[in-house]
Amino acid sequence: MKKIAPLSILLSLCLLTIAFARDLKVEGKKLLSEKPPFAVALPSEFQLIHSSSAENREENSLTRAYLFIREKNKQVEEMLIVQIADKTNPQAGPMMIPSLKPLAEKKLFSKGKIDRKGLEIDYLIQVMAWNPEAPSLRPLAAKGLTVPSHWALQGQCLFSYYAEHAVFIRYSKDANSFGFKVSQEGKSWEKDSISGNEKTICEIFQKTFMTMIDSLRVQ
């Protein structure tokens, strides 16, 4: 016989999901966070598809994850994934935050650090292949959305908020959605040989993503 979770547990989970959604939201083309307080200007209007949380007791933290997308005809063209780690034990030491690493050095387009009034932001821009089978993207399929198996441009940025929170933002865009004819060959996207439309798209994306980072405002 299938066990049914008590109503109190289901209600608690529902309220927890609502609380997480309130902590981070998109209004128009702005990403607004209350915990920690920051805002980022976005290149498009996104819709929240899924939010979740996971506790890491060894690191004394709770990580909240949010999946936003922009779609056209039920096919994803842009994706925004935000993960925020909250320190759960005030007596624990500072949160340890690793540096960003690309999926493949050959497809790393740009990498660096920016100091914003004492806030160090680690960032990178790379070419990657979207994987529709990735577990983190299953909520999209559940809502009838398709993630194409295309090359995509991805920007990542990571920063610590007074060692109490860590914010990790990943923004990606389908390479086929820029309006240019592009190659599907992996070698055409390698940094040592990239040229033509592929290089143009990377430059457009880099400008867009750096504008996002420049717009970051932390309270």
Side-chain angles (χ1 to χ4, degrees):
M1 182 176 179
K2 185 177 179 180
K3 293 183 178 180
I4 300 176
L7 180 60
S8 59
I9 294 178
L10 294 176
L11 182 59
S12 296
L13 291 173
C14 180
L15 292 174
L16 191 60
T17 300
I18 293 173
F20 286 153
R22 287 176 179 171
D23 286 338
L24 187 81
K25 60 184 177 180
V26 167
E27 290 186 355
K29 291 186 178 181
K30 278 192 175 182
L31 177 69
L32 304 172
S33 171
E34 292 188 4
K35 180 185 176 184
F38 71 87
V40 178
L42 302 173
S44 303
E45 292 189 7
F46 289 84
Q47 58 176 309
L48 176 64
I49 296 297
H50 183 71
S51 63
S52 62
S53 67
E55 185 177 7
N56 190 331
R57 294 184 179 180
E58 292 182 358
E59 296 183 4
N60 297 294
S61 66
L62 175 73
T63 299
R64 294 173 279 131
Y66 305 82
L67 173 60
F68 300 87
I69 61 103
R70 184 184 71 80
E71 54 86 15
K72 184 177 181 180
N73 299 324
K74 291 293 184 178
Q75 180 168 296
V76 176
E77 290 195 341
E78 295 177 72
M79 200 180 309
L80 179 71
I81 299 175
V82 183
Q83 291 174 282
I84 301 176
D86 305 312
K87 185 177 176 181
T88 55
N89 182 0
Q91 279 71 48
M95 296 182 71
M96 301 301 293
I97 303 176
S99 298
L100 293 178
K101 293 183 179 180
L103 295 172
E105 288 289 343
K106 290 183 177 181
K107 293 182 174 64
L108 175 64
F109 194 71
S110 178
K111 189 176 188 296
K113 295 181 184 292
I114 296 175
D115 187 277
R116 179 69 55 76
K117 296 181 180 179
L119 181 72
E120 187 176 81
I121 303 171
D122 195 5
Y123 76 89
L124 67 77
I125 297 171
Q126 64 183 348
V127 178
M128 61 173 289
W130 272 349
N131 178 13
E133 303 302 321
S136 60
L137 302 184
R138 286 173 185 166
L140 296 174
K143 292 184 179 293
L145 296 164
T146 301
V147 178
S149 300
H150 293 169
W151 290 107
L153 284 300
Q154 185 195 63
Q156 301 182 4
C157 76
L158 175 68
F159 65 90
S160 171
Y161 185 88
Y162 298 111
E164 297 293 320
H165 307 273
V167 179
F168 183 30
I169 299 174
R170 285 174 287 172
Y171 164 62
S172 57
K173 184 173 181 178
D174 182 357
N176 288 28
S177 68
F178 285 83
F180 295 86
K181 184 177 180 180
V182 295
S183 172
Q184 298 304 313
E185 297 294 328
K187 192 169 182 61
S188 299
W189 295 97
E190 293 180 0
K191 62 182 178 182
D192 293 335
S193 57
I194 194 168
S195 62
N197 288 344
E198 291 76 28
K199 185 176 182 180
T200 298
I201 287 174
C202 283
E203 291 171 345
I204 292 172
F205 184 84
Q206 181 178 27
K207 183 177 180 180
T208 298
F209 188 66
M210 295 311 294
T211 298
M212 277 181 62
I213 294 179
D214 289 341
S215 74
L216 177 64
R217 296 292 180 268
V218 177
Q219 298 178 9

